[in-house]
Amino acid sequence: MARPLSPEKQQALLQAAALAVAEQGVLATTSSIAKRAGVAEGTLFTYFENKDALLQAVYLHLKQGLCDSLMPAYPHDADHRQRLEHVFQGYVGWGLAYPDGRSAVARLAASGLIAEDTRNQAGEPFLAIYQMLEDAVQQRVLVQAPIAFLSSMIERIADITIEYIDLHPDEAKHYRELGFGMLWKALRF
């Protein structure tokens, strides 16, 4: 009888893979990931069929972490500006708390290796945000643009905000306010 899989080992492999991808990109080897997780390389393949399956799982794991930061307190009944600010500030907070996770998500997204169904699955917990953006576009609160473009703008301005906070941590509040103010203006023209 096969031993049951350990959630702790699976978590360790996901975290090790996220760190490896953040540092080395998708060229990180399975042996280096397994070593970082403190398991044999064969153990990695007990949990993930192949490297591609591992990368898909890491992407979902990291997106779930972002969701856990944003969605529990998402203000569903607030106006568009307040909801957008919640998303922006939540993303900035997550990115500051998990710089390796943010880097790994960006590298995975840019790699071309994340399957469309994985991207769709990762996006499901954020449907309220996408709906808010669609409503804001339809109501002409935000610029008439595809939601994917708006989402990219939010992410890029948040990333720049995070970079400036990293450089000037004593001015974090200022850069958070400045970043959101610039985003709001950019999306409203």
Side-chain angles (χ1 to χ4, degrees):
M1 185 164 135
R3 287 175 36 188
L5 297 179
S6 161
E8 292 81 16
K9 279 187 187 172
Q10 183 174 24
Q11 199 64 1
L13 285 163
L14 289 170
Q15 290 172 347
L19 287 172
V21 169
E23 293 171 1
Q24 303 163 8
V26 295
L27 297 178
T29 64
T30 54
S31 63
S32 69
I33 293 168
K35 184 177 180 180
R36 188 183 291 246
V39 300
E41 188 173 5
T43 301
L44 184 147
F45 294 112
T46 300
Y47 288 83
F48 303 99
E49 182 180 343
N50 52 41
K51 185 177 175 182
D52 182 63
L54 173 61
L55 294 177
Q56 305 303 312
V58 169
Y59 185 80
L60 290 171
H61 170 73
L62 292 169
K63 286 292 203 168
Q64 184 61 51
L66 175 58
C67 175
D68 293 346
S69 292
L70 290 179
M71 299 314 295
Y74 181 73
H76 292 274
D77 297 325
D79 65 29
H80 293 106
R81 186 180 193 288
Q82 291 170 319
R83 287 183 279 171
L84 185 59
E85 185 168 17
H86 173 85
V87 170
F88 178 84
Q89 298 298 352
Y91 181 89
V92 169
W94 176 80
L96 289 168
Y98 303 102
D100 292 325
R102 182 174 70 92
S103 176
V105 166
R107 286 177 171 236
L108 288 167
S111 73
L113 297 176
I114 301 304
E116 187 66 29
D117 62 326
T118 300
R119 288 180 188 272
N120 291 339
Q121 185 180 349
E124 287 176 13
F126 302 99
L127 289 177
I129 295 170
Y130 301 139
Q131 186 61 54
M132 177 271 294
L133 291 172
E134 286 179 11
D135 291 346
V137 167
Q138 288 175 358
Q139 295 173 24
R140 301 202 178 276
V141 173
L142 297 181
V143 65
Q144 304 297 298
I147 302 309
F149 181 80
L150 296 175
S151 295
S152 294
M153 289 295 295
I154 295 165
E155 189 174 316
R156 296 307 182 273
I157 293 175
D159 285 338
I160 292 166
T161 302
I162 291 166
E163 290 168 16
Y164 270 80
I165 292 170
D166 282 340
L167 292 172
H168 310 283
D170 293 342
E171 299 178 63
K173 184 176 186 232
H174 168 70
Y175 283 113
R176 280 177 170 262
E177 290 172 0
L178 183 61
F180 179 72
M182 293 176 79
L183 173 67
W184 183 247
K185 288 179 182 177
L187 298 185
R188 297 250 326 148
F189 81 91

